Amino acid sequence: MGSGVECCIETGGHTTARLLVFSCTSHLIVICYDCFTMIDLEKMQEEVLAFRKARDWEKYHKPKDCAISLVLEAAEVAELFQWEQDAHSDEFATKKKKKLGDELADVLYWILLISHDFGINLQEAWSQKMIENEIKYPVEKARGNAKKYTEL
């Protein structure tokens, strides 16, 4: 695998976007992501940590227990879709949108907490994973195809 180069685009002295440029054999992959997203993630992570600290819950948040909590919250997301015939309907969106948002926020809570506790920079992890996905699932092979990358 080649190496990536991060470039920033500035407007009026402020960084407005970041590009991750990656070359691999005959492909040049450019991933653009918004800097403000990371600022929001950092702020949310700070809120999660403050919430935990104020309740003195650090002693309960062992890695295994946090991972189990993440899975349980993700299961609650799946439960909202269980037995639904048309999860894209207006009725579904109206009835379950708030609950879905709540459950997704619970999942994000645990992701932010676990990533902090293990020193994982989510922006870097995300960018690297997207590069890996671009390589595993090239558009010319994966477009319109639901097969796993090993079967393309």
Side-chain angles (χ1 to χ4, degrees):
M1 211 191 284
S3 61
V5 176
E6 187 175 59
C7 307
C8 292
I9 298 173
E10 294 189 15
T11 308
H14 300 288
T15 301
T16 56
R18 291 184 179 173
L19 300 176
L20 189 59
V21 182
F22 184 84
S23 67
C24 176
T25 58
S26 64
H27 291 53
L28 180 65
I29 299 166
V30 178
I31 297 174
C32 180
Y33 55 93
D34 186 351
C35 299
F36 301 111
T37 302
M38 187 57 190
I39 294 168
D40 292 344
L41 279 176
E42 288 173 353
K43 183 179 183 298
M44 288 188 289
Q45 195 168 54
E46 289 170 8
E47 291 173 1
V48 164
L49 294 170
F51 182 87
R52 176 173 74 172
K53 185 174 180 69
R55 287 153 184 80
D56 192 28
W57 286 351
E58 294 97 333
K59 58 189 165 206
Y60 305 117
H61 288 173
K62 305 293 185 237
K64 171 190 65 81
D65 299 309
C66 291
I68 290 170
S69 295
L70 172 60
V71 170
L72 293 173
E73 294 300 343
E76 290 183 27
V77 171
E79 185 179 29
L80 293 174
F81 293 93
Q82 187 178 23
W83 314 123
E84 291 292 336
Q85 299 304 313
D86 189 8
H88 288 92
S89 71
D90 290 339
E91 181 183 353
F92 178 85
T94 302
K95 287 177 18 185
K96 302 216 178 167
K97 185 174 183 177
K98 167 76 169 88
K99 183 67 175 158
L100 178 58
D102 289 345
E103 298 305 338
L104 290 171
D106 287 341
V107 169
L108 183 57
Y109 173 94
W110 291 107
I111 291 170
L112 292 168
L113 198 64
I114 293 167
S115 66
H116 169 269
D117 290 352
F118 280 89
I120 296 169
N121 179 312
L122 287 174
Q123 186 173 12
E124 289 175 10
W126 173 263
S127 296
Q128 185 61 40
K129 185 63 177 177
M130 291 307 297
I131 289 169
E132 292 170 11
N133 286 342
E134 287 285 348
I135 293 166
K136 286 187 209 176
Y137 297 97
V139 174
E140 59 274 5
K141 290 183 180 179
R143 184 173 176 79
N145 189 335
K147 291 181 181 177
K148 188 174 177 176
Y149 70 96
T150 56
E151 299 174 11
L152 291 175

